[in-house]
């Protein structure tokens, strides 16, 4: 969203038949989720089945013409699909490859699902919100998700600047940093 807000042409790829889970988040206005519309403003969207060879071929063609790719699967998923950074840099050596995961890309928790509320709980943030003497409370906003997005945006922009200087692409692995990426050992 931030890259799109800054003028980048962003193409969001969603799962065919299902799309982004956020499409169902309330409030629904004129048949669309206001939450989804806010987070996906200024983006173009399409569906693509990355498990099919046809979908992978279309994806590779898109990558060959792209500056930056950002994905948020669990570590190893894109590699299993044959679409990891090592595979894609052969198609586009200048590609900036950003990947966000809940608990980093190595370490004891790397394969765990990372949702905002998990990040808030594991980080201890929920113990600082709510009412004195009360139970830990989720913040009013998805702050762990926001931090993961910010970390990724900063990482890919730094890699893009490096590419402008050196001509080389690169990979930026991000997790919500100060929240729970520390548990995994990388952020």
């Amino acid at each position: 969203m931030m890259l799109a807000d800054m003028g980048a042409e962003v193409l969001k790829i969603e799962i065919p038949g299902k799309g982004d889970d956020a499409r169902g988040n309330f409030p629904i206005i004129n048949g669309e989720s206001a939450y989804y519309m806010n987070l996906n403003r200024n983006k173009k969207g399409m569906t693509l089945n990355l498990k099919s060879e046809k979908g992978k071929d279309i994806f590779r063609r898109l990558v060959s013409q792209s500056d930056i790719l950002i994905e948020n699967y669990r570590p190893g998923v894109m590699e299993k699909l044959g679409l990891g950074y090592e595979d894609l840099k052969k198609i586009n050596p200048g590609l900036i490859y950003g990947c966000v995961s809940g608990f980093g890309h190595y370490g004891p928790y790397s394969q765990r699902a990372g949702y905002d509320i998990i990040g808030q709980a594991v980080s201890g943030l929920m113990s600082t919100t709510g009412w004195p003497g009360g139970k830990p409370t989720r913040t009013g906003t998805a702050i762990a998700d926001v931090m993961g997005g910010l970390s990724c945006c900063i990482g890919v922009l730094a890699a893009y600047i490096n590419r402008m200087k050196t001509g080389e692409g690169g990979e930026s692995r991000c997790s919500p940093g100060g929240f729970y990426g520390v548990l995994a050992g990388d952020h």
Side-chain angles (χ1 to χ4, degrees), residues 1 4-6 8-10 37-38 40-44:
M1 175 190 74
D5 285 349
M6 290 186 269
E9 182 179 348
V10 175
M37 289 187 295
N38 178 51
N40 292 284
R41 64 182 182 259
N42 300 320
K43 298 179 188 177
K44 297 176 182 176

Side-chain angles (χ1 to χ4, degrees), residues 103 116-128 139 143-144 176-183:
F103 290 92
D116 180 78
I117 195 165
I118 294 170
Q120 289 188 38
V122 172
S123 70
L125 177 65
M126 288 173 56
S127 70
T128 66
T139 65
I143 193 68
F179 282 91
Y180 54 112
V182 173
L183 294 172

Side-chain angles (χ1 to χ4, degrees), residues 46-115:
M46 68 180 286
T47 61
L48 193 58
N49 181 355
L50 294 179
K51 293 181 180 176
S52 74
E53 284 308 312
K54 183 178 179 182
K56 288 178 186 181
D57 288 342
I58 293 168
F59 185 77
R60 288 182 189 110
R61 282 196 307 258
L62 290 168
V63 165
S64 73
Q65 303 168 31
S66 298
D67 290 310
I68 299 170
L69 168 68
I70 299 174
E71 56 95 345
N72 67 337
Y73 290 109
R74 288 186 190 174
V77 169
M78 290 294 276
E79 288 77 9
K80 287 179 188 173
L81 292 170
L83 302 172
Y85 176 65
E86 293 300 320
D87 300 302
L88 298 178
K89 75 177 185 179
K90 294 172 188 169
I91 298 166
N92 182 348
L95 181 68
I96 305 301
Y97 188 103
C99 42
V100 182
S101 65
F103 290 92
H105 288 78
Y106 57 86
Y109 301 127
S110 65
Q111 294 302 308
R112 289 188 179 181
Y115 294 95

